[in-house]
Amino acid sequence: MLRETPAPRPNGAAPTALVAGATGIAGAAIVDLLVNQGWTVLALSRKGGAPDPARPGVVPVAADLTSAESLTAVLADKSPTHVFFTSWSRQETEVENIAVNSAMVRNLLTALEHAPLEHVALMTGLKHYMGPFEAYGEGPMPDTPFSEDEPRLPVDNFYYAQEDELMAAAQRQGFAWSVHRAHTVIGFAVGNAMNMGQTLAAQATLCRELGLPFVFPGSETQWNSVTDMTDAGLLAEHMLWAATAPNTANEAFNVVNGDVFRWRSLWPRLAEYFGVEPVGFDTKPRPLEEQMADMDEAWEKLAARHGLAEPNLSRLATWWHTDADLGRNIEVLTDMSKSRVAGFTGYRRTEDAFKDLFARLQSERLIPRVRQEGPGEIQG
């Protein structure tokens, strides 16, 4: 039977969280937030990595979410009170996406049937409203800003399948749940498959190094429309809020920064940060997969020249995903009213989220340092 309010932990025991996808763009931010607030964190990833495995309070856990046997064996002696699920695996078709990604949720929660789970928070995204990659924005869609009470689209979508697995497990196991629908997350994670912030940083760095203009890759609609995004730190705050607040059980929430912007205004400011020439939309999209084709060798040389920590460009930039986000011919804007009314007050300015990420990339030696006192000079 579904438990609206989780039972108290015995003897006031401290909460323990399992973060699935702990090295990803959202998972790493959640690990950081939870540890800062005194939680014990089981940082689950395929290779057992964690944002900082030596940090007190972090327990790296190696397991394959696609393997029920792997999870059962590794988690048999683990007893988390909360789960934050931020992982996904991209497949060739949406039918395969559904099979693989729904199984990942099912496998993990089945492996935790013995655990005293209080709340499971699932991260999804705005493809809930726009449709999956292979039918992105092509069918019927609700009006913007997207709100959580819209019915599901009449298409196959792995987000729907993940939600169904979550709710079925909650009914069986008696925990509360929340779903968090983010829009294009900005954050730090090397090797992440959906990372616009790092992709644009890599594009701008190559443009600076090679004397190329910083060309907007997307559509006229995206260039001119009002839109929004989600900072990874804000997403972490939102997921923790929903997992612990008294009035958020068993709800889906949109989560974006709270500001809105147009790319035609933000693009020149990002270019100025790197000291490159901004070029906006002109006639048709100019995808990064074409602009940045065959740049791997140029990046390797750049990395060697500046002493960067990552010579593999594909570990930093995902051209295809940024092309998909910025190439849409639809307005994408999200309603945060449900969270606000329920008490969530978190906010980020999107331009600051980008620039904070760029500064982090410099400090981690993933892009060259930018001398802010000069006209965008880059030094090693």
Side-chain angles (χ1 to χ4, degrees):
M1 182 176 180
L2 188 61
R3 192 167 62 227
E4 290 288 338
T5 303
R9 287 184 294 277
N11 303 318
T16 297
L18 184 149
V19 178
T23 59
I25 189 170
I30 294 168
V31 171
D32 188 57
L33 177 63
L34 291 172
V35 172
N36 283 343
Q37 297 206 5
W39 291 53
T40 297
V41 178
L42 307 174
L44 189 150
S45 62
R46 184 184 293 269
K47 296 181 180 179
D52 183 358
R55 188 174 182 180
V58 177
V59 180
V61 177
D64 182 355
L65 288 167
T66 65
S67 169
E69 295 78 10
S70 166
L71 289 164
T72 298
V74 169
L75 298 177
D77 62 345
K78 304 294 190 297
S79 297
T81 56
H82 295 71
V83 170
F84 298 87
F85 194 101
T86 68
S87 188
W88 80 296
S89 177
R90 187 189 184 204
Q91 306 299 311
E92 289 297 318
T93 68
E94 194 61 16
V95 170
E96 294 172 287
N97 273 329
I98 289 170
V100 172
N101 289 282
S102 63
M104 288 164 58
V105 174
R106 181 172 64 252
N107 292 343
L108 177 62
L109 297 181
T110 299
L112 291 173
E113 285 183 337
H114 66 280
L117 292 182
E118 298 175 16
H119 192 104
V120 177
L122 170 67
M123 173 192 170
T124 64
L126 297 195
K127 287 189 290 295
H128 183 97
Y129 307 110
M130 296 185 290
F133 281 121
E134 62 189 45
Y136 206 29
E138 295 178 2
M141 283 190 353
D143 286 337
T144 56
F146 300 133
S147 63
E148 296 90 340
D149 58 1
E150 294 289 349
R152 291 179 175 182
L153 300 178
V155 296
D156 292 334
N157 192 318
F158 83 83
Y159 285 162
Y160 304 162
Q162 286 185 312
E163 287 186 355
D164 290 343
E165 292 290 348
L166 173 66
M167 294 173 194
Q171 289 285 354
R172 291 193 308 270
Q173 294 167 235
F175 57 78
W177 57 265
S178 58
V179 174
H180 303 260
R181 298 169 186 162
H183 180 200
T184 309
V185 180
I186 309 168
F188 179 87
V190 178
N192 186 264
M194 302 198 307
N195 200 328
M196 182 188 289
Q198 288 180 188
T199 296
L200 296 183
Q203 178 195 3
T205 298
L206 283 164
C207 289
R208 170 69 182 183
E209 190 79 6
L210 302 174
L212 301 173
F214 185 52
V215 178
F216 181 74
S219 68
E220 183 176 13
T221 301
Q222 290 303 305
W223 180 248
N224 290 317
S225 295
V226 173
T227 190
D228 49 27
M229 294 182 72
T230 308
D231 177 76
L234 182 91
L235 172 60
E237 293 170 12
H238 192 260
M239 294 182 80
L240 178 56
W241 162 76
T244 55
N247 61 333
T248 54
N250 313 324
E251 296 285 352
F253 295 99
N254 294 331
V255 51
V256 287
N257 287 339
D259 70 341
V260 296
F261 67 95
R262 300 181 200 273
W263 280 108
R264 71 188 189 204
S265 297
L266 181 59
W267 195 256
R269 297 200 291 274
L270 300 185
E272 182 181 14
Y273 182 95
F274 286 97
V276 291
E277 176 193 355
V279 175
F281 177 84
D282 183 15
T283 309
K284 64 179 181 179
R286 286 165 283 186
L288 291 175
E289 283 199 301
E290 297 175 8
Q291 289 190 51
M292 299 287 111
D294 304 319
M295 286 289 188
D296 289 0
E297 184 178 350
W299 186 267
E300 288 178 8
K301 292 179 179 178
L302 182 157
R305 186 158 48 251
H306 293 284
L308 302 185
E310 183 52 75
N312 185 345
L313 181 58
S314 67
R315 296 268 297 158
L316 296 175
T318 48
W319 311 128
W320 70 269
H321 185 262
T322 296
D323 285 341
D325 268 355
L326 296 182
R328 296 177 293 206
N329 284 310
I330 51 176
E331 180 183 79
V332 182
L333 193 63
T334 314
D335 183 8
M336 275 284 284
S337 298
K338 185 176 181 180
S339 292
R340 301 298 187 216
V341 170
F344 182 73
T345 59
Y347 179 90
R348 293 290 192 281
R349 184 170 177 255
T350 298
E351 181 177 346
D352 293 341
F354 272 112
K355 291 180 178 179
D356 288 347
L357 172 61
F358 299 158
R360 172 81 183 275
L361 293 173
Q362 293 171 59
S363 69
E364 299 283 350
R365 294 192 303 110
L366 291 168
I367 63 174
R369 289 201 173 274
V370 178
R371 289 195 187 110
Q372 291 302 300
E373 69 273 20
E377 296 177 86
I378 294 182
Q379 63 181 10

